[in-house]
Amino acid sequence: MRRHARARIDLGALRHNLARVRAAAPGARVMAAIKADAYGHGMLRVAEALHAADGFALACVAEGVALRDAGFAHPIVLLQGVRDADELRAAADKGIGICVHQPHHLRLLEITSLKKPVKVWLKIDTGMHRLGIPAEETAETFRALANNPNVAGKPCLMTHFARADEQGDTTTREQIAVFDRAVEGLDGKQSLANSAGILAWPDSHRDWVRPGIMLYGGSPFAHRPARELDLRPAMTLTAPLIAIRELKQGDPVGYGGTWTCPEDMRVGAVAIGYGDGYPRHAPSGTPVAVRGQRTQLVGRVSMDVVTIDLRGIDAEIGDPVELWGGQVPMDEVAIAAGTISYELTCSVGPFVHVTVDAGNP
Ligand SMILES: *Cc1c(COP(=O)(O)O)cnc(C)c1O
């Protein structure tokens, strides 16, 4: 069942953004993060568009198996690692790399018999305190893994940044220093940078970079627009204008009557809502565009409908209204709604009709 909202995925934009990663981190191999259905853009179509990437980062085993079964031979790494011996065997059988980030993983690798060894990415906690082994245990763990017959070759050494998007902050510099001390003398490949690291912390590029949001055209920085970074939006979300109302000064609009017409005016109703993944918390004033003209939401987002300000706007019923994309940067919508672009595209629901723009080859 498809509803009226449409997400157009621009494969040319994905390829352009991959080229931006290569230009920003020359010499590094690119592990494209396509977890969570490629941030809502469709894992297989994105992997196909980004075939020139050097590998793919996913969260869990089911995603990795789906990618392998679709015929992708690239290196794949599961950022969450595996939960149990069955998952470990499934990953090893499919030639899928795993993150090792806790003692449980080391035990699994010792007690499970595998048909072939598995590629390991050793995740070190350098200060984010989410996943990873303590930095001071790196050398010992690396050696244990390197000597484990279940492990293919030398583990790749990796960490993840908590605040690489905050350019004035010193945390990232400290995380890099903790990493460098932890891995001193260990001859594994290294991987630190997410999108923010790629764009703002050249010292973090090393052997493998792991871009996510910048591939989809989102800025990793709250205060730097994607356009300034020469990133192109990979998703344009639109929905049709289904009604135009002539309302009177003082008329409240939508649930709770949170917005009142300041004058006699036209208000449009657009066939999209939080049931499609548009954020319910987007307030009055959140930008939208119709026929190339920017306007804004008025009143609360409902499940299937949003209402927009049509004062001074040339529009007719049936016109597509852009919620985000080339005219309305998703980062602006995210900031208005108190979230991040990652959440916006990930939330685009299964009822949204997806079309694909192949772009220039
Ligand atoms: C999701 C993820 C990335 C990509 O991050 P972006 O901010 O989207 O570039 C990189 N590394 C890890 C470990 C991740 O979980």
Side-chain angles (χ1 to χ4, degrees):
M1 182 194 54
R2 290 284 179 264
R3 289 159 54 111
H4 290 300
R6 286 179 174 265
R8 199 183 74 240
I9 308 300
D10 181 350
L11 305 184
L14 290 163
R15 291 190 296 263
H16 168 86
N17 296 335
L18 175 60
R20 287 287 299 124
V21 173
R22 296 238 186 251
R29 283 197 274 175
V30 178
M31 176 69 65
I34 57 168
K35 61 200 183 190
D37 205 23
Y39 293 37
H41 296 68
M43 179 182 77
L44 293 181
R45 76 170 67 89
V46 170
E48 192 50 56
L50 299 180
H51 212 274
D54 304 295
F56 294 111
L58 293 164
C60 61
V61 174
E63 294 175 334
V65 169
L67 190 61
R68 263 296 171 262
D69 287 352
F72 289 88
H74 299 66
I76 298 175
V77 58
L78 305 180
L79 298 168
Q80 287 179 3
V82 290
R83 293 203 326 233
D84 54 31
D86 287 342
E87 288 198 355
L88 175 58
R89 277 190 290 265
D93 285 351
K94 299 277 180 185
I96 294 170
I98 59 167
C99 275
V100 162
H101 58 73
Q102 55 167 326
H104 173 62
H105 292 147
L106 299 168
R107 274 196 302 279
L108 279 179
L109 282 165
E110 274 156 23
I111 63 175
T112 311
S113 67
L114 298 179
K115 284 191 222 125
K116 50 184 177 182
V118 68
K119 175 76 197 156
V120 165
W121 294 59
L122 176 58
K123 189 159 189 176
I124 306 160
D125 178 9
T126 55
M128 183 164 178
H129 301 137
R130 184 180 64 171
L131 298 177
I133 60 155
E136 54 280 8
E137 293 171 18
T138 303
E140 178 194 337
T141 311
F142 180 87
R143 290 196 187 103
L145 288 166
N147 291 326
N148 185 324
N150 273 338
V151 175
K154 294 273 164 42
C156 181
L157 297 151
M158 70 176 281
T159 193
H160 194 45
F161 295 137
R163 302 176 65 172
D165 54 317
E166 298 174 40
Q167 277 160 299
D169 188 77
T170 56
T171 309
T172 303
R173 195 176 310 288
E174 285 156 22
Q175 284 196 262
I176 295 172
V178 170
F179 181 86
D180 285 340
R181 274 198 301 280
V183 305
E184 207 182 329
L186 305 178
D187 58 348
K189 298 270 187 255
Q190 301 181 1
S191 178
L192 297 84
N194 54 2
S195 296
I198 290 164
L199 293 169
W201 301 92
D203 187 28
S204 72
H205 291 167
R206 312 295 167 98
D207 299 297
W208 283 95
V209 293
R210 306 188 308 271
I213 196 66
M214 70 181 287
L215 292 172
Y216 307 103
S219 171
F221 312 112
H223 303 294
R224 280 178 78 188
R227 199 183 302 256
E228 229 175 66
L229 301 165
D230 188 21
L231 299 173
R232 290 198 206 141
M235 179 189 289
T236 297
L237 183 67
T238 61
L241 188 62
I242 55 167
I244 297 178
R245 309 289 316 284
E246 303 282 349
L247 300 180
K248 295 275 180 256
Q249 180 180 23
D251 284 346
V253 176
Y255 285 119
T258 58
W259 194 86
T260 311
C261 296
E263 57 190 313
D264 293 359
M265 62 181 281
R266 293 193 313 153
V267 167
V270 183
I272 191 169
Y274 61 81
D276 303 287
Y278 189 80
R280 199 185 84 88
H281 295 289
S284 296
T286 302
V288 300
V290 55
R291 292 191 182 190
Q293 309 153 95
R294 297 240 319 187
T295 182
Q296 52 174 343
L297 294 192
V298 293
R300 272 194 196 144
V301 173
S302 356
M303 189 181 290
D304 317 299
V305 182
V306 299
T307 34
I308 63 170
D309 187 341
L310 289 181
R311 281 178 289 180
I313 299 292
D314 169 34
E316 274 176 28
I317 288 176
D319 279 350
V321 175
E322 181 178 307
L323 289 310
W324 62 72
Q327 292 163 34
V328 179
M330 60 177 172
D331 296 308
E332 277 185 45
V333 178
I335 289 166
T339 182
I340 52 177
S341 57
Y342 304 65
E343 189 185 19
L344 294 184
T345 59
C346 279
S347 302
V348 166
F351 306 137
V352 170
H353 187 93
V354 175
T355 59
V356 175
D357 178 349
N360 297 324

